[in-house]
């Protein structure tokens, strides 16, 4: 038969056995904790509204804080305008020239061909006259110069028509697509900044502290609210070196709240700290070695929504090998 001695120290396990017999159950006390999450902006902004108060329960996705930057809406409008312009340019490049543009180029080519033909006939007519001395050499040179110019205009009009019929060059299409992608990316970045100005709850939980008020200016990463995740409460208790070998991850545990001793809450060991705590300066003697304690983290299942951060609780761990 064994008996257990309880120590009146918070968050420290107490065990002792009559006649030095090891206790089959490890019992200790601590306070309920939850994972804390700071809700903060990713860029400097001014607080417009704070929609949650301390102690308030929130669901994942609930809006908690609304922020504002003075240039955000103007930046979005400018980004949308640039994206629309780039999209229109790409659409025009993909469509190629209109039929009316091709018809106009064909008419210009016909006119250029007619002018070149007329200039060539003038040269053919005036060259013999120049050779006989009927007209001056200057007149012949002028006719030949006009014929060369008319031929150049004809060739240019022919090349312009050919390019129109081939459509937009691949290099131009690639440049237009790149311009549209750049405009879309810039707009998406601006919209992301605007979206980040509305801070929402990443998980369901309870507001632990309200760290900002409307009108305040927050810097990047400055906490506006601190949220406690209520889905996974836990408690730290401490085990002595003598009993540490009896504790393993995954072991079952039971927690009881003060005032609700008749309602046991199931839990399990999820972590054991690798280093001792509450350690004396020199731990050489057997008594001093017994004072070394290791933190044990116990996750709790709260199906009745009883666990609140800071509530004291007593935890009992069924030691390995216990009946």
């Amino acid at each position: 038969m064994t008996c257990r001695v309880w120590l009146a120290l918070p968050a420290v396990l107490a065990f002792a056995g009559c006649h030095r017999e090891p206790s089959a159950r490890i019992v200790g006390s601590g306070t309920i904790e939850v994972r804390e999450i700071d809700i903060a902006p990713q860029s400097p902004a001014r607080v417009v509204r704070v929609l949650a108060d301390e102690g308030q329960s929130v669901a994942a996705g609930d809006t908690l804080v609304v922020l504002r930057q003075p240039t955000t809406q103007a930046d979005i409008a400018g980004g949308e305008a640039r994206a629309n312009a780039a999209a229109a340019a790409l659409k025009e490049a993909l469509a190629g020239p209109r039929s009316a543009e091709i018809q106009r180029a064909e008419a210009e080519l016909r006119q250029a061909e007619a002018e070149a033909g007329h200039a060539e006939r003038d040269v053919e007519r005036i060259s013999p006259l120049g050779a006989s001395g009927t007209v001056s050499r200057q007149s012949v040179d002028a006719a030949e110069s006009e014929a060369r110019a008319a031929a150049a205009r004809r060739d240019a009009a022919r090349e312009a028509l050919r390019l129109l019929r081939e459509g937009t060059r691949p290099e131009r299409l690639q440049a237009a697509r790149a311009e549209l992608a750049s405009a879309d990316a810039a707009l998406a970045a601006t919209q992301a900044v605007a979206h980040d100005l509305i801070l929402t709850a990443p998980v369901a939980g309870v507001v632990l502290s309200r760290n900002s008020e409307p009108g305040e200016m927050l810097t990047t990463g400055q906490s506006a609210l601190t949220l406690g995740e209520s889905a996974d409460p836990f408690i730290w208790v401490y085990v002595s070196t003598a009993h540490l070998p009896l504790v393993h991850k995954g072991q079952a545990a039971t927690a009881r709240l003060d005032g609700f001793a008749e309602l046991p809450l199931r839990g399990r060991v999820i972590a054991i700290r690798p280093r001792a705590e509450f350690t004396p300066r020199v731990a050489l003697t057997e008594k001093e070695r017994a004072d070394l304690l290791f933190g044990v983290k116990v996750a709790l299942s709260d199906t009745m929504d009883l666990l609140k951060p800071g509530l004291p609780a007593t935890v009992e761990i069924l030691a390995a090998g216990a009946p």
Side-chain angles (χ1 to χ4, degrees):
M1 178 177 180
T2 62
C3 62
R4 187 180 304 122
V5 177
W6 295 68
L7 296 179
L9 294 177
V12 177
L13 291 185
F15 356 68
C18 296
H19 310 296
R20 298 183 180 271
E21 295 180 10
S23 173
R25 300 182 186 277
I26 302 172
V27 181
S29 60
T31 56
I32 303 300
E33 299 181 46
V34 294
R35 186 166 65 96
E36 296 185 7
I37 304 171
D38 285 327
I39 309 300
Q42 298 184 14
S43 58
R46 189 175 300 280
V47 179
V48 178
R49 287 184 295 165
V50 181
L51 304 177
D53 290 319
E54 293 182 0
Q56 180 178 337
S57 297
V58 297
D62 284 354
T63 299
L64 302 179
V65 182
V66 178
L67 307 173
R68 184 183 63 187
Q69 290 178 335
T71 62
T72 301
Q73 295 304 319
D75 291 342
I76 291 177
E80 290 175 344
R82 287 188 291 272
N84 291 336
L90 176 59
K91 183 178 180 180
E92 180 183 7
L94 289 171
R98 292 173 293 184
S99 59
E101 293 176 325
I102 295 178
Q103 292 172 3
R104 184 178 63 184
E106 290 173 342
E108 291 174 351
L109 175 59
R110 288 193 296 269
Q111 181 179 355
E113 289 174 339
E115 292 174 352
H118 180 71
E120 289 175 359
R121 289 191 294 272
D122 284 347
V123 171
E124 292 174 356
R125 179 178 57 82
I126 201 172
S127 292
L129 296 177
S132 63
T134 305
V135 296
S136 65
R137 184 61 193 174
Q138 184 179 4
S139 298
V140 175
D141 291 343
E144 290 176 349
S145 178
E146 176 59 27
R148 288 192 296 271
R153 290 194 294 272
R154 177 200 61 202
D155 293 342
R158 185 177 295 148
E159 180 65 13
L161 177 60
R162 184 185 68 81
L163 292 176
L164 284 175
R165 286 174 174 170
E166 287 183 356
T168 307
R169 291 181 302 172
E171 296 83 1
R172 184 182 171 191
L173 288 175
Q174 185 178 1
R177 290 192 178 97
E179 182 65 24
L180 177 59
S182 176
D184 286 341
L187 176 60
T190 305
Q191 291 173 334
V193 171
H195 181 268
D196 289 339
L197 296 179
I198 300 177
L199 306 183
T200 59
V203 296
V206 61
V207 177
L208 300 181
S209 64
R210 174 169 169 158
N211 308 323
S212 63
E213 296 297 333
E216 292 184 17
M217 189 70 186
L218 300 182
T219 60
T220 301
Q222 182 179 352
S223 176
L225 288 174
T226 300
L227 186 67
E229 184 178 9
S230 57
D232 298 305
F234 61 91
I235 188 170
W236 281 99
V237 291
Y238 293 88
V239 176
S240 69
T241 55
H243 292 81
L244 187 63
L246 302 176
V247 181
H248 304 282
K249 290 178 64 174
Q251 276 181 256
T254 301
R256 299 178 187 272
L257 298 177
D258 293 351
F260 295 92
E262 72 284 358
L263 296 175
L265 301 170
R266 292 186 300 175
R268 62 185 178 86
V269 176
I270 61 172
I272 302 174
R273 284 180 177 156
R275 293 185 179 181
E277 302 183 40
F278 304 147
T279 308
R281 183 174 181 180
V282 178
L284 298 177
T285 68
E286 181 178 357
K287 179 180 182 302
E288 289 171 337
R289 287 197 299 271
D291 290 335
L292 295 174
L293 301 175
F294 288 80
V296 176
K297 186 178 182 180
V298 178
L300 301 175
S301 176
D302 184 17
T303 59
M304 295 175 287
D305 195 26
L306 293 177
L307 302 182
K308 305 297 181 184
L311 283 178
T314 300
V315 175
E316 182 178 5
I317 302 174
L318 181 62

